[in-house]
Amino acid sequence: MNRHRSLYISIAVVVIGSIYILRLFQIQVLDDSYKNTAERISLRKQTIYPQRGLIFDRENKLVVFNEPVYDLMVSVPIRLGGIDTNSFCGVLDIDRPEFDTRLAKAKKSSYRGKAVFMKNVSNRLYARMQERLYEFKGLFFEIRRDRNYKYNSSAHVLGYLGEVSKNELGTQEDDYYEQGDYVGKKGIERYYEDELRGVKGEKYFYVDIHGVNKGSYKEGKLDIEAIDGHNLGLSIDIDLQQYGESLLNNKMGSVVAIEPKTGEVLALISSPFYNPANFNIQNRGSYYNRAIQDPTKPIFNRAVSAPYPPGSTFKPIMALIGLEDGAITPATHFGCPGYFRLGRRTIKCHPHPFSTSLERSIASSCNTYYCNTFKNMMQSDKYANTEEAYISWRSYLESFGLGNKLGVDISSEFRGWLKEPSFYDQMHGKGRWSYANIISLSFGQGELGLTPIQIANLAACIANRGYYYTPHVVRQIENVDAIPEEFRTKHFTKVSAKNFDAVIAGMLAVTQNGTGAGVAIKGINIGGKTGTVQNPHGKNHSAYMAFAPVEDPKIAIAVVVEEAGYGATWAAPIAHLMIEHYLQADSVTESSKMYLETRLKEANLIPLKYRSQRDTSLYGN
Amino acid sequence: METRSRIDILSLFLYFAIAIIGIASVYSATYEDGSMNLLDGRSGKQIMWFGASLFVGIIIFFLNANFFEVFSWYFYVPLMLLLVVVLFIGADINGARSWIKIGSFSIQPSEFAKYGAAFAVSSVLSSIDFSFNKRYDVIKLFAVIAFPAILIVIQGDTGSALVFASFILVFYREGLTPLLLVLGIVAIFIFVLTLVIGFSYFAITALVLFLVFTAFTYTNKKMLIPSLSILAVVVLFSLSVQFLFNNVLQKHQQKRIQVTLNLIEDNQGAGYNVNQSKIAIGSGGFAGKGFLNGSHTKGNFIPEQTTDFIFCTIGEEGGWLLSTLTITLFMLFILRLLYLASRAKKKFKRIFILSLASIFFFHLLVNVGMTIGLMPVIGIPLPLISYGGSSILAFGIFIFTALKMDASRDEDLTSES
């Protein structure tokens, strides 16, 4: 009987062994879920961030480069137990409660996957931590690239990066961004985001229970190399830009300089400005709030966003429209008694000889001349009524790039103010308004708002005698044959080339014996037009528009200095110095020029009401 | 009469085959890229312990086979004393006081206690006047295994204590009524059922079955009393299971059992080991990820990777093929031992070899069973594979003693049954 029992025991051994082998067959061969689970647990994908494209200036000087930022990450927050908390806190220079808060936060954001423990760790801390990282299993650094800058300059052109927002994440089409990624928020960083960002890479590897890398997956066959972003070449001349910034220091205003033949922006300044390095990822946190509280609005890009009435700088355009439309001829004279009578009221002019030609009207900035021109046009037989005439006038202006966004390659451009006729219908009643109601438009006041870049573009149109290219600040994109089509297309104005001669002659006269003659530059023929813009909120804005040299224009420029006074006092000399600097950079040796330069650089034209609240540290460091 | 003294080559081959799989697995489980040598770390120690086993094995082969039978109590008593001693001087590791530290080594007496118990059991069972019908003999028999088992429970190592249950298989082979085995299986059945459906439902079900049974056999009055008492015993047992489970077992032990029965899913807590273990083995697929390539093994996701859960490494890196090979080698080894037992001429030797086969079988059943989720987590090693000097050495000595007994079987003139 007992021998049978031996057999039974043997059978039991074989049966149990077979059950186990079958069970193993089931979980190892038939069931795939364990394989997937194993990979989910121990396989990690790491994103390799590409180098963002570098940015160079017109002369190929490096302007913007990348600087690594280190985020201290914890691989698996719930498994961060095996470290010596005391020495870890010691290295990081935090106390225990802070450690606990940070870990709790990491756990909350991701239970099993990686989470941020400390963002933007300083270089010093990174170096110290890196040395001892082997002691702290499950912690690692994720390296991202922040921007840094060779020059404390051009902040408004360059813009800045920021973490991608929920909204941006939700609306993206190509699923490029993940939470925490950096994306261009302003300036060309935003406009050229697709060119600058490059292509992310991927790396697959196994991790252990603490999240420590245990070797690559399939010998790296699935890994993807990151491709760096395209470098950009600016049309900005960083030297001219910095020079202009020094002239605009302690002023509110803007300078835009354009190369008329190409539409390339040579300088684009909005003042007050800030140090772009203060607005990179690492620093913006501490500067941003101070910047928005500053009443001089240093973040606001006046050059493309601030609408100013052009004032008298508008007169050359009025002349061009009058000539083209037949309201005047180059020989037209209007008498100016010092005012323009409009029923019971008068529009004041300023002292100049009684009879005014077209040329002299520009040179001496005669209001009466343009009131008459505008009146002629608005009352012309060509048009059935004032509204029709106004629509025609408006369409001339649109052909000069006014009333709409120019389409520059910097974010937050404003289209300015150029009212539809319906605006006046609403104000005065349909058909119940005439030239008298809108007469101030003729000398650049009233319901008219031009951004500095639009004014500069007007100067470029005149310099080109009737066309412009959309102004742009990037002239080269690495590995791309050409800049976007829209910057290579000529836009013609509705004013024919022949009508420009008289106006240009007038603008030349401005700097020779007109309102801008006092700050003329020897050896350069500049066509200019001063403007003193009435400002209901304070002192007049000082404005100026110019191009040079008249015979072969290489630079067109607009300058606005807020609440500064006469155009000829501030805006004109700034424009002239910049023209000279750009055209013959080393000729400012004359003592009178030196004096002028010093006077401009040192003048503080910030209105008194703002001075105490200004935060000058934004420009520092 | 000519006596032959030849070691069983097949057993020896299986011993080495399993040992090599063990060393390779321990090496792989502790391997770190680039820097590890086979002779370093745990795999090196594992090899050393096998060396020690062989050394002791050779000494054993120089001894007279009768020495073991004559001096069997000299093995049992000192080893039991060690179990007592460890309670006083033992080092506390993982909540169990089952290790004696000697210099840089730690010895686990419970591993050697199985060897000692095999001597005592063989001695008691093989004594000429032993009978399973004599109450005193049976009590004595159970006492020699209960004594170490209880001491080991006191140490806090329930798993190792349970191993002594494997002797019941030996008793069965030697004439113990199978009723005990049947009762054991029924008891496990009631135990499981009580935990799954709860005592109340179990009691109601039992009562309904009893009523149905009685209704069919109401003519036979003789059936009533036995069936009624069976009902009472079953219900009382179920009730005590419920009570013991809730009040005697510790929380983690309750959870382990509940996880095994799929009563709760707790992949982070009590079920973590088993879940990770199944993932590691399951991800091995048909042919495995290759030697040293087990990502789950490498990642230290499984606690007790080199000891209790060493089978994960085999399953992950060797896949179903190596798992099957390993289990097959174990089965062949156990079957071969059973064969060696059956060809022994002396009862003492037969029982001793049988004890080894039973213990081996129990370890395989429980250890592999728990890694693939068929058994609750009971921390006992996979013999000759799991890392651990005491286990390797104790099993080595055990095996070589058994093989020596087999090798010298021709010296035994009489055949006892």
Side-chain angles (χ1 to χ4, degrees), chain B residues 41 59 61 92 109 301 361 378:
Chain B
I59 292 175
F61 266 77
D92 199 320
F301 287 95
F361 181 40
I378 294 170

Side-chain angles (χ1 to χ4, degrees), chain A residues 116-175:
Chain A
V116 179
F117 186 81
M118 192 183 268
K119 258 187 150 44
N120 294 341
V121 174
S122 71
N123 279 356
R124 195 174 50 84
L125 201 55
Y126 169 74
R128 200 166 55 178
M129 193 72 197
Q130 186 74 349
E131 254 170 50
R132 300 189 54 187
L133 208 55
Y134 69 93
E135 289 175 43
F136 309 124
K137 270 192 179 173
L139 286 145
F140 67 99
F141 280 106
E142 204 160 77
I143 300 169
R144 269 187 240 243
R145 294 190 172 87
D146 196 0
R147 289 300 217 183
N148 213 338
Y149 303 86
K150 282 279 180 196
Y151 303 93
N152 179 357
S153 171
S154 313
H156 293 102
V157 174
L158 302 171
Y160 50 80
L161 302 179
E163 264 189 37
V164 66
S165 69
K166 277 219 172 77
N167 190 28
E168 285 166 320
L169 278 175
T171 55
Q172 61 175 330
E173 279 161 16
D174 53 359
D175 279 341

Side-chain angles (χ1 to χ4, degrees), chain B residues 160-294:
Chain B
S160 294
L162 281 174
V163 172
F164 289 87
S166 50
F167 281 104
I168 293 174
L169 207 57
V170 178
F171 303 164
Y172 163 72
R173 163 65 181 81
E174 292 305 317
L176 179 68
T177 168
L179 196 63
L180 202 62
L181 276 179
V182 173
L183 280 181
I185 291 166
V186 169
I188 291 171
F189 180 73
I190 296 174
F191 177 84
V192 171
L193 211 59
T194 305
L195 294 184
V196 173
I197 65 174
F199 168 72
S200 324
Y201 284 104
F202 179 82
I204 293 167
T205 312
L207 191 63
V208 168
L209 283 175
F210 166 76
L211 292 176
V212 169
F213 180 77
T214 314
F216 277 103
T217 59
Y218 71 101
T219 45
N220 192 347
K221 295 278 186 265
K222 270 192 278 180
M223 295 295 282
L224 191 64
I225 300 299
S227 56
L228 198 61
S229 35
I230 288 173
L231 174 73
V233 169
V234 163
V235 170
L236 278 176
F237 180 72
S238 172
L239 185 63
S240 55
V241 163
Q242 182 108 335
F243 176 79
L244 287 172
F245 186 84
N246 290 336
N247 300 300
V248 176
L249 288 187
Q250 290 173 339
K251 254 286 152 319
H252 73 273
Q253 289 167 326
Q254 292 175 7
K255 279 203 168 169
R256 281 177 182 179
I257 292 169
Q258 285 169 326
V259 166
T260 309
L261 296 177
N262 273 329
L263 293 179
I264 55 170
E265 185 154 324
D266 184 11
N267 289 341
Q268 296 313 320
Y272 175 80
N273 293 8
V274 175
N275 188 43
Q276 293 297 330
S277 158
K278 274 155 75 180
I279 289 167
I281 294 171
S283 68
F286 181 73
K289 297 177 185 172
F291 186 53
L292 305 181
N293 280 331

